[in-house]
Amino acid sequence: MPTRPPVISTSRLLAVFGLVVLALLTTAWTTFDRGLFQDDAQTLFRIYLVDGVWSRLWHPIGTPSRRLQGVPYALALQVSNPLAWIQVWSEALPWAIAVVVMAIARLGARLPRPWAFVAGALTVTATSDWLTATPVAIGYHLAILLHALGVLGLSAFVSGRGTAWLVAGVIAGTASLWTVDAATTLYPFMPVLVWLMATDEAGRRRAHTAAMLWWLAAVPYYVTFIAFLGDSSSYASVAILDTPWWHRASRLVLLVLQNVTPWRWASARPDWFGHLETAWWPAAILPMVAGLAIVGTVATWLRGQGRDERVEGGRSPVWLALAFAASAVVVNATYMAVHLAHMYYRTQLHSRLWVALALATGLYALSRRGSREARVAVGIVALFIAGGIAGGQERQAYFNAHWLRHRVELASVAEAFPADRGAHLLLYRPEPPALYRATEAPYLARAWATLLGEDPRAECRLFLVDATRGTSCTAEADGLVCRGDHSARCAAYETPGHRIPYDRLVVATWNEEAGRYDVQASLPAPLLPTGESGAAARRAYQPARLAPGRVEMTLARQLLALPPGTRDPSTTAAPR
């Protein structure tokens, strides 16, 4: 009796391990040296405000359709070390996407194992997006992984696998839509792509069945999403820019080019805000690591070359490569009128997997033409992987350096926040900071205040004074009247006009040189009323009586990775 081949063969294990190595070299080597950066803190804050684990798992984030985006953060609040949990998710998801891409290349595009591995390798080392190596992208990565799993399920069903694959694929695909809108524009075209990957008439008939179920399952989402787009008060009215068609077309061209110019990913990445020197990697490490990755990738490719031919009967690999490339263009078109697209912010997180599939399929077709073409194909693969690793290392250094500064800043906020829950903290920035702050915007400052203070109402007890953000406070006889951006949730129990009595106030002024907020023992002159009221305000302002020092709170220590008893993170090295 013939023996069945093992489900997990040595070649599969080698390929998966190769993707682990590439992921480590590209972005995961310093995972535990980076903390929350921006909107990931905002997402965690929104989930923190929701009561009950099950409610948190289905709570919308920003839009009515983003129901599953907060799942990783809801689970993080249930574990003993939420920061480590988020850090692991931020790196495990991109690696899992690469594994699924490798499976799609093998099962759907029917590529030989070496070229299926190349598809996964190109995915995990694609670092064209600004959000590479930061946990801000967790929600997007989760949505992209679910979408890729959906495509894999459909591909497996069309290739002759059981109905369970179809059901699982449809569930994963629709779950992706309810996570983040990364696949919104591409989702309707996936049955067409799967139909192109069918190898016979039976497979194409299965593709028709899959298409009907795939489209019907998404109807509730698209009804919700279209209503959201039509709401003039929604986030979409701000995020989608009103630009002429020619501007959108030119932006689309630039977004597509960003996917296929790996030499720019480390050397010509645009800066969103002030440049921060990140001489973190010794100069010799970069070429050594890139060289190691290239050798490992090419060696893995050569290991299976000539021993694993593509299964005939499907579409030409050239046609499949064009279909994958078209998918990448559709994904990029999603962002051609979205705010911050010129920074390549979240624009390549999804398109990179379709570019990887297009490259792997197209280069495989090229390699079949002869030995010279095969060498050219391998050289192109090596170029993309080298550029991707260089870009990933640049991102690691960039976000590591920012996190070292942000830990100091946030610890100072935690220390300054008054223990008295009837008191307010005023973060005072007379001049705009030179570099990006964790409390850059009022909504971020409120989010961090709530998390660090472990108090759902803490966002209503913090105000950020920054003229560049349109926020200000006027000194009156009985307190400060602060105007500008603040949370609508605070209206029910804040003082009229957001008035803060002087005896319920702690002022912390930004110290640019130290990169932290310093509590002021006396009121700054711009916050003092004139005349006799000024003397009364001086007497009333007593920050020490309000007992600052919330850094002892458990969640604050966990999120800032501070060891017990440490009040100033500038005296400790970043966790490793």
Side-chain angles (χ1 to χ4, degrees), residues 381-461:
V381 171
L383 172 64
F384 270 82
I385 291 178
I389 290 176
Q393 292 188 5
E394 182 271 339
R395 291 286 84 186
Q396 290 184 74
Y398 181 84
F399 287 114
N400 291 354
H402 271 287
W403 178 237
L404 288 174
R405 297 175 61 89
H406 287 184
R407 288 177 73 224
V408 175
E409 173 192 359
L410 293 170
S412 71
V413 173
E415 292 172 8
F417 209 85
D420 186 329
R421 297 202 170 191
H424 290 69
L425 174 63
L426 187 75
L427 301 181
Y428 185 57
R429 293 201 304 234
E431 300 293 334
L435 295 171
Y436 189 81
R437 299 291 86 207
T439 57
E440 181 75 14
Y443 78 95
L444 291 174
R446 293 195 303 269
W448 275 113
T450 301
L451 295 171
L452 298 178
E454 294 190 48
D455 176 11
R457 291 191 176 186
E459 63 166 330
C460 306
R461 299 195 291 119

Side-chain angles (χ1 to χ4, degrees), residues 118-143:
V118 165
L122 291 173
T123 301
V124 81
T125 58
T127 56
S128 48
D129 197 275
W130 196 91
L131 288 178
T132 295
T134 172
V136 179
I138 285 178
Y140 291 93
H141 283 146
L142 179 58

Side-chain angles (χ1 to χ4, degrees), residues 35 117 119 206 303 327 364 383 386 507:
F117 170 76
R206 282 174 161 250
R303 182 181 183 275
S327 300
Y364 163 68
L383 172 64
V507 176

Side-chain angles (χ1 to χ4, degrees), residues 243-414:
T243 56
W245 70 265
W246 54 265
H247 183 276
R248 298 189 181 194
S250 61
R251 177 60 57 198
L252 175 58
V253 172
L254 293 175
L255 290 174
V256 172
L257 288 176
Q258 178 73 358
N259 287 278
V260 294
T261 51
W263 51 88
R264 299 182 67 247
W265 297 348
S267 62
R269 195 188 302 272
D271 278 333
W272 183 1
F273 33 75
H275 181 69
L276 180 64
E277 292 296 332
T278 54
W280 195 84
W281 290 89
I285 289 183
L286 183 60
M288 290 171 59
V289 172
L292 175 63
I294 293 169
V295 171
T297 302
V298 174
T300 304
W301 182 85
L302 291 175
R303 182 181 183 275
Q305 182 68 4
R307 298 188 302 130
D308 190 5
E309 292 300 324
R310 180 177 185 270
V311 178
E312 299 299 335
R315 304 282 178 177
S316 163
V318 175
W319 284 107
L320 287 179
L322 291 175
F324 290 138
S327 300
V329 173
V330 171
V331 171
N332 283 143
T334 306
Y335 297 99
M336 61 185 178
V338 174
H339 182 55
L340 292 178
H342 66 288
M343 298 300 306
Y344 306 105
Y345 183 95
R346 73 197 165 197
T347 55
Q348 264 70 51
L349 295 174
H350 189 189
S351 65
R352 63 176 183 162
L353 73 89
W354 300 109
V355 172
L357 284 166
L359 283 171
T361 308
L363 292 175
Y364 163 68
L366 176 65
S367 70
R368 299 175 73 188
R369 299 176 63 89
S371 59
R372 178 182 299 177
E373 287 83 356
R375 287 193 293 270
V376 171
V378 173
I380 293 174
V381 171
L383 172 64
F384 270 82
I385 291 178
I389 290 176
Q393 292 188 5
E394 182 271 339
R395 291 286 84 186
Q396 290 184 74
Y398 181 84
F399 287 114
N400 291 354
H402 271 287
W403 178 237
L404 288 174
R405 297 175 61 89
H406 287 184
R407 288 177 73 224
V408 175
E409 173 192 359
L410 293 170
S412 71
V413 173

Side-chain angles (χ1 to χ4, degrees), residues 67-145:
R67 292 280 179 172
L68 299 176
Q69 182 182 355
V71 168
Y73 300 89
L75 297 176
L77 292 173
Q78 300 303 120
V79 301
S80 59
N81 191 334
L83 178 60
W85 174 272
I86 292 171
Q87 289 167 329
V88 170
W89 272 74
S90 70
E91 298 301 336
L93 287 172
W95 172 82
I97 291 170
V99 173
V100 176
V101 167
M102 184 170 63
I104 292 173
R106 180 65 177 158
L107 184 61
R110 306 181 76 82
L111 294 183
R113 285 194 180 90
W115 283 103
F117 170 76
V118 165
L122 291 173
T123 301
V124 81
T125 58
T127 56
S128 48
D129 197 275
W130 196 91
L131 288 178
T132 295
T134 172
V136 179
I138 285 178
Y140 291 93
H141 283 146
L142 179 58
I144 294 163
L145 174 61

